[in-house]
Amino acid sequence: MTKKILIADDEPNIVTALEFLLQRNGYEVHIARNGESALKLIEAHLPDLVLLDVMMPVKSGYEVCRRMRERADWRHIKIIMLTAKGRDVEMSKGLSIGADLYITKPFSTQELVAKINGLLGAGAA
Amino acid sequence: MHGRLKFAAWLAALYCAALGLIAATLVMVEVGMPAQDQAVVSRMFEERAPLLAFVGGLLLLACGGFVAWLFKRYVTAPRALAEQTRVVLANPGYRVEAAAAPELSALAAEINRLAGAYHGVQRDMEAKIAESGSRLEEERNRLAALMSDLSQGVLLCNAEGRILLYNEQARTLFSSAAAPIGLGRSVFGLLDREEIVHALDKLQYALDQGTEAPSTRFITALAARGLVRVQMAPFLAAGGRVGGFVLALEDVTRFVGQELQRRQLLQALSTGVRAPVANIRATVENMVSFPEMDPAQRQRFARIIAEESINLSKSIDQALSEYADAIKASMALEDMRAADLVTVAKRRIGALLRVDADDVDQNLWLRVDSFALVQSLGYLAWRLREEHAVDAVRLRARARETFAELDLVWSAAPLSSEVISLWESQPMQVAAEQTPLTLKDVLERHGGEMWYQRDEPSGASWFRFLLPLGEAAPQPSRRRLPAESRPEYYDFDLFQRAGTQREFDDQPLDELAYTVFDTETTGLEPSAGDEIISLGAVRIVNGRLLKHEVYEQLVNPQRPLNRESSRIHGIDARLLVSQPTLGAVLPEFHRFCEDTVLVAHNAAFDMRFLELKEAATGIRFEQPVLDTLLLSAVVHPSLQDHSLEAIAERLGVRVIGRHTALGDALLTGEILLKLFPLLAESGISTLKQAREASQRTYHARLRY
């Protein structure tokens, strides 16, 4: 069964690139433009993994992450936080509130795919 | 009073003696006389009684007059002479006067002769004391000079936190603090008490642990102006206890601001750059990883890359322009006037070849490492001389946009670009003197640039340095004072005093802190609506008149001046209109007087003006008050004139600047200091004794 990934980011350009990348790697991709709609889409599609940008309008990535971890039925969903904020303190905050991985921009797409594959139990494609 | 009583007693005794003698004579004559003779005598007296009574009365009157004359000549006059003689002790220049009796005149002359001799001895002694004191004074002045030349503010305090020494920089730093800075004042009025106590605890702990020279630092906020970095070190009293502490103060408001800016710049740069780079990288990697993608997709990715590249440039530009100051600023660089830098450079280059400077913008400030820059200029001049036989150069400096141009100009001898790049990259060397630094290093440190330029028609060549502009340093109020009037910013004798907080009353007069003040007023009747128009005050701490810790303020009386008083104080009514009212001035003056004894000449008058304002302003002056007029009367009860001028003349105080509030306050202060030894001779040495004696004299004077 094809695994589902939700990309939550307000920047269309990174979304375009990631969508293309992940589809080519065999995932089903959903897109959210802000934190609020991310939560709605998670409810609707129950993805296996969420790529979460920290700085999003309406609800920040931190907040979405915290909400997700409050729900027992979402506990299995993997969370990767992507951010342009590169300070150590922010990284440990993200990991502390429940992210599985914290990746600072810019990043290597190959590594990102490898890490996603790793989290989702080997290649989906 | 005493004198009159004595006089009356003398006279009564004389009368009694005379009458007793006559009565006794009569009794003795009558005893043993036959009865008929007695009757004859009685008759004789009875018949002549009026005449006898008249003659007797006349005799007694004559006796009384004679006694009065004698008393004035030989009792009152010697007493006045004795008092005058005591004045001589205080002021050896003073000469006694006795007009009454020739014997006393002779005595007065002898006293004056002795006074002359005493004066001479006194002068010799003073000269000797002055001589030995001058060395100490010189050392103190050297210390004061050293302090005033430090760029840091310095405060020296005893263990109680009383200020023993401060310098001009500290004074400037605290100029807008709630409490004024001053000798003997508490440092806790300037800096947070908790912070200092905490630091002292730390120092004490370090000392207990056996640390050799402990010191501690903290940064604290000043109420009015930013941040100050304080370095604190103790010094030890006997027994290893902390005897006091030194505070070195530095205004770090700007540096802390710049530090914050630099951090923000880094933050803005990294955050602003990460996102667009991430987008570009992800896109490009897609294009590389999936070369078979369709042209539409490829086109779309290419557009993303173009767009994100622009975002990237924008965020860099924005960060750099927003934090331009932070880039420019560096702790190692100092703000310096271009003209000063040129002067220093001229001195250095002048040792190698002819140099002059024209066209230097006098208002131009640079932010430079002046040592390295002057070294660079010297280095270039030396190479020009050594390798191109240049024998004269010129320096010029002016502003250009947000930079400063500093040019080293010479004639002829064009340089090739190879030579220039060699000069830039080789370690700088002047004759045998070499540094590991290259010109490039120096430029890098300044965030500056340098290039070679040539004007063909005139044949002039120059190196142009482009350097960051500096900020004009605030001009500190550092008038150079002649040595003898160097500010009295220190008082080490305060060390000797423990427990300054003790009750005022039992303290020796010459150890108390005083605020000597005077007022000028619109008239003499405060209750009839007369108002203060000027307040002047000076502090006395530890027996020294602190002429640099004064208070002087004109006051708007909010009523017209009458012409008579204007003539005395010479204050123009128009001048007062723009001044603050007494209501605004009193709180400030009250702070100035804190913890001191108030002193004024005829203090009752000045205090009345202040007391009448109590209800309106809520400011109460509750400290003890001394009155130099009363103290003078205590010391010299027989002398009648206790005006400021008369006392000044008696005690040998030079009168200058009278009839300004501050001038009179200074005069009153000097008089107070001269009165202390005289009071001590009369057995008055504490504040309590002085106040009680004043009170007695006050009542005594009221009775006349």
Side-chain angles (χ1 to χ4, degrees):
Chain A
M1 195 192 131
T2 318
K3 300 229 165 165
K4 287 181 277 188
I5 294 179
L6 175 74
I7 302 174
D9 201 320
D10 60 321
E11 276 192 75
N13 285 342
I14 192 74
V15 169
T16 305
L18 288 175
E19 184 185 18
F20 176 86
L21 175 75
L22 295 175
Q23 281 170 347
R24 284 297 177 111
N25 279 283
Y27 293 104
E28 180 186 330
V29 178
H30 300 272
I31 311 276
R33 300 288 186 195
N34 63 47
E36 191 71 53
S37 78
L39 288 171
K40 281 189 188 135
L41 287 176
I42 294 168
E43 188 86 66
H45 300 290
L46 213 63
D48 300 286
L49 184 144
V50 180
L51 277 177
L52 204 50
D53 181 42
V54 169
M55 292 195 293
M56 272 189 300
V58 191
K59 275 194 172 59
S60 78
Y62 290 131
E63 198 171 341
V64 172
C65 182
R66 227 180 30 241
R67 296 275 173 114
M68 286 176 68
R69 288 310 181 217
E70 283 165 6
R71 301 239 334 223
D73 53 334
W74 289 0
R75 193 150 295 158
H76 67 283
I77 302 175
K78 304 292 182 196
I79 301 176
I80 296 180
M81 298 198 89
L82 290 176
T83 177
K85 288 188 169 184
R87 293 193 300 155
D88 293 351
V89 283
E90 281 141 4
M91 182 180 291
S92 57
K93 175 176 176 182
L95 294 177
S96 304
I97 62 175
D100 295 285
L101 271 178
Y102 191 100
I103 296 175
T104 50
K105 295 175 179 178
F107 49 84
S108 146
T109 48
Q110 298 308 314
E111 271 175 41
L112 179 66
V113 170
K115 280 179 174 155
I116 290 174
N117 289 342
L119 280 175
L120 293 182
Chain B
M1 263 330 277
H2 198 93
R4 287 186 176 207
L5 210 71
K6 213 166 178 178
F7 173 66
W10 270 41
L11 204 58
L14 185 72
Y15 282 2
C16 287
L19 290 174
L21 205 67
I22 292 170
T25 314
L26 283 181
V27 169
M28 280 198 294
V29 167
E30 278 195 10
V31 168
M33 204 183 257
Q36 65 263 46
D37 287 359
Q38 279 184 10
V40 170
V41 171
S42 298
R43 197 161 38 80
M44 271 168 63
F45 276 113
E46 269 161 30
E47 274 170 8
R48 287 163 184 80
L51 180 70
L52 283 174
F54 177 71
V55 171
L58 216 59
L59 205 68
L60 289 183
L61 216 61
C63 278
F66 182 62
V67 168
W69 180 77
L70 275 181
F71 195 83
K72 199 175 161 215
R73 248 171 117 82
Y74 295 108
V75 178
T76 312
R79 259 179 203 232
L81 193 59
E83 246 167 50
Q84 291 184 58
T85 309
R86 273 203 292 279
V87 175
V88 173
L89 279 179
N91 172 21
Y94 186 78
R95 290 295 172 265
V96 300
E97 243 176 282
E103 298 92 325
L104 279 182
S105 294
L107 179 60
E110 284 308 305
I111 290 174
N112 281 340
R113 216 159 57 80
L114 268 177
Y118 174 62
H119 198 181
V121 171
Q122 189 91 342
R123 264 191 307 230
D124 283 354
M125 216 150 75
E126 268 167 17
K128 269 185 199 143
I129 291 170
E131 195 184 322
S132 59
S134 74
R135 184 190 291 214
L136 181 64
E137 195 58 32
E138 197 182 308
E139 261 167 33
R140 285 184 162 185
N141 281 339
R142 216 177 290 150
L143 178 66
L146 180 73
M147 290 291 175
S148 70
D149 286 343
L150 283 176
S151 65
Q152 287 180 318
V154 176
L155 284 179
L156 189 62
C157 304
N158 66 13
E160 289 170 30
R162 300 256 156 207
I163 298 168
L164 310 175
L165 172 152
Y166 62 90
N167 65 358
E168 183 59 37
Q169 285 70 17
R171 186 188 170 93
T172 312
L173 206 54
F174 290 114
S175 57
S176 44
I181 196 168
L183 293 181
R185 289 193 191 279
S186 173
V187 72
F188 303 126
L190 306 173
L191 291 167
D192 185 60
R193 186 188 182 93
E194 294 303 313
E195 200 114 43
I196 291 189
V197 169
H198 175 68
L200 267 179
D201 286 347
K202 275 201 289 187
L203 292 174
Q204 185 67 62
Y205 177 75
L207 285 171
D208 293 344
Q209 297 298 304
T211 310
E212 279 276 323
S215 82
T216 178
R217 328 173 130 213
F218 55 93
I219 288 188
T220 185
L222 294 185
R225 41 173 299 172
L227 297 166
V228 57
R229 179 165 55 210
V230 183
Q231 175 147 21
M232 183 165 165
F235 48 81
L236 301 183
R241 266 179 2 83
V242 173
F245 50 90
V246 188
L247 301 174
L249 308 148
E250 208 174 347
D251 186 351
V252 291
T253 317
R254 216 183 77 204
F255 289 140
V256 170
Q258 285 171 354
E259 183 57 37
L260 190 69
Q261 269 208 327
R262 264 196 292 278
R263 225 178 301 153
Q264 283 170 338
L265 166 69
L266 275 177
Q267 203 70 41
L269 261 181
S270 64
T271 308
V273 166
R274 277 172 198 277
V277 170
N279 300 352
I280 292 170
R281 182 165 175 190
T283 309
V284 168
E285 284 176 359
N286 278 341
M287 292 167 86
V288 173
S289 305
F290 306 99
E292 75 288 358
M293 70 172 70
D294 60 74
Q297 185 67 42
R298 183 172 292 275
Q299 183 103 44
R300 208 164 129 218
F301 280 172
R303 219 179 33 245
I304 289 177
I305 293 171
E307 206 175 286
E308 291 297 335
S309 313
I310 291 167
N311 285 345
L312 185 57
S313 333
K314 267 195 209 149
S315 85
I316 292 172
D317 285 349
Q318 197 187 336
L320 291 186
S321 73
E322 235 166 83
Y323 301 104
D325 288 346
I327 301 168
K328 211 168 26 166
S330 161
M331 288 268 224
L333 303 183
E334 54 181 333
D335 288 331
M336 188 177 192
R337 196 190 293 279
D340 293 342
L341 183 84
V342 166
T343 306
V344 179
K346 262 174 75 178
R347 212 172 298 149
R348 169 138 183 131
I349 299 171
L352 306 165
L353 39 79
R354 253 183 322 116
V355 56
D356 63 340
D358 52 355
D359 199 9
V360 174
D361 183 346
Q362 292 299 315
N363 296 318
L364 183 62
W365 283 75
L366 308 172
R367 183 162 295 163
V368 292
D369 174 346
S370 59
F371 177 75
L373 199 61
V374 167
Q375 214 174 19
S376 310
L377 290 167
Y379 161 72
L380 289 174
W382 185 74
R383 289 205 89 151
L384 284 171
R385 190 192 81 171
E386 291 298 298
E387 295 167 29
H388 297 272
V390 172
D391 62 354
V393 295
R394 212 148 45 83
L395 291 166
R396 63 184 180 210
R398 58 173 166 254
R400 180 169 117 159
E401 292 163 23
T402 56
F403 284 94
E405 288 177 351
L406 177 66
D407 293 349
L408 179 73
V409 192
W410 70 95
S411 294
L415 300 179
S416 70
S417 41
E418 292 79 41
V419 166
I420 294 161
S421 64
L422 201 65
W423 287 10
E424 273 183 339
S425 53
Q426 283 178 343
M428 296 194 288
Q429 185 180 6
V430 176
E433 190 184 322
Q434 190 168 359
T435 70
L437 278 182
T438 67
L439 202 52
K440 265 191 185 149
D441 296 332
V442 174
L443 290 168
E444 210 166 275
R445 182 179 300 179
H446 285 84
E449 283 295 341
M450 188 211 75
W451 63 86
Y452 166 71
Q453 224 170 318
R454 185 171 163 77
D455 181 46
E456 279 307 334
S458 67
S461 298
W462 60 89
F463 283 121
R464 169 157 296 171
F465 288 80
L466 219 49
L467 299 165
L469 284 177
E471 266 172 53
Q475 215 48 42
S477 56
R478 246 169 73 181
R479 286 165 294 141
R480 270 265 165 235
L481 296 156
E484 88 178 304
S485 66
R486 191 172 300 284
E488 289 138 1
Y489 291 156
Y490 56 85
D491 188 347
F492 295 117
D493 299 335
L494 284 169
F495 270 130
Q496 313 304 328
R497 304 169 51 202
T500 317
Q501 299 290 17
R502 230 187 326 155
E503 202 48 51
F504 278 142
D505 257 359
D506 298 323
Q507 290 201 48
L509 283 172
D510 50 6
E511 284 184 15
L512 281 163
Y514 300 87
T515 303
V516 188
F517 76 105
D518 184 52
T519 60
E520 300 293 330
T521 60
T522 55
L524 302 178
E525 288 176 73
S527 46
D530 275 326
E531 294 280 355
I532 290 176
I533 54 172
S534 165
L535 261 173
V538 59
R539 280 159 47 80
I540 292 181
V541 177
N542 228 11
R544 278 171 66 209
L545 192 69
L546 303 179
K547 289 183 185 155
H548 296 273
E549 290 185 16
V550 296
Y551 183 87
E552 192 171 25
Q553 180 68 56
L554 291 178
V555 180
N556 180 0
Q558 297 174 291
R559 58 162 287 171
L561 298 185
N562 72 44
R563 205 173 298 159
E564 229 167 288
S565 74
S566 277
R567 208 176 306 140
I568 294 178
H569 48 63
I571 293 174
D572 190 337
R574 280 166 301 180
L575 194 65
L576 296 177
V577 177
S578 58
Q579 300 295 331
T581 62
L582 195 63
V585 168
L586 275 188
E588 200 178 65
F589 181 63
H590 188 256
R591 273 200 301 276
F592 185 85
C593 302
E594 229 163 30
D595 274 350
T596 62
V597 175
L598 288 178
V599 179
H601 192 74
N602 194 5
F605 176 77
D606 302 281
M607 288 312 290
R608 184 89 188 107
F609 277 97
L610 297 181
E611 277 160 12
L612 278 175
K613 291 290 164 194
E614 255 172 33
T617 61
I619 300 278
R620 285 175 65 89
F621 289 85
E622 287 175 318
Q623 50 267 75
V625 178
L626 284 181
D627 184 344
T628 43
L629 189 151
L630 293 181
L631 291 177
S632 171
V634 165
V635 179
H636 299 134
S638 310
L639 303 179
Q640 288 306 309
D641 193 352
H642 295 288
S643 68
L644 217 45
E645 282 97 344
I647 304 177
E649 195 193 338
R650 263 205 299 276
L651 301 182
V653 175
R654 221 149 56 88
V655 179
I656 33 171
R658 277 231 53 192
H659 296 304
T660 66
L662 182 58
D664 280 2
L666 285 165
L667 183 59
T668 307
E670 290 198 39
I671 284 174
L672 181 73
L673 290 175
K674 291 271 185 183
L675 283 171
F676 285 158
L678 294 176
L679 286 165
E681 272 176 43
S682 318
I684 295 168
S685 57
T686 67
L687 180 66
K688 190 177 179 189
Q689 290 166 338
R691 285 199 310 163
E692 283 169 359
S694 298
Q695 212 154 19
R696 279 197 302 275
T697 309
Y698 178 63
H699 290 309
R701 289 176 67 83
L702 271 189
R703 239 180 263 182
Y704 285 110

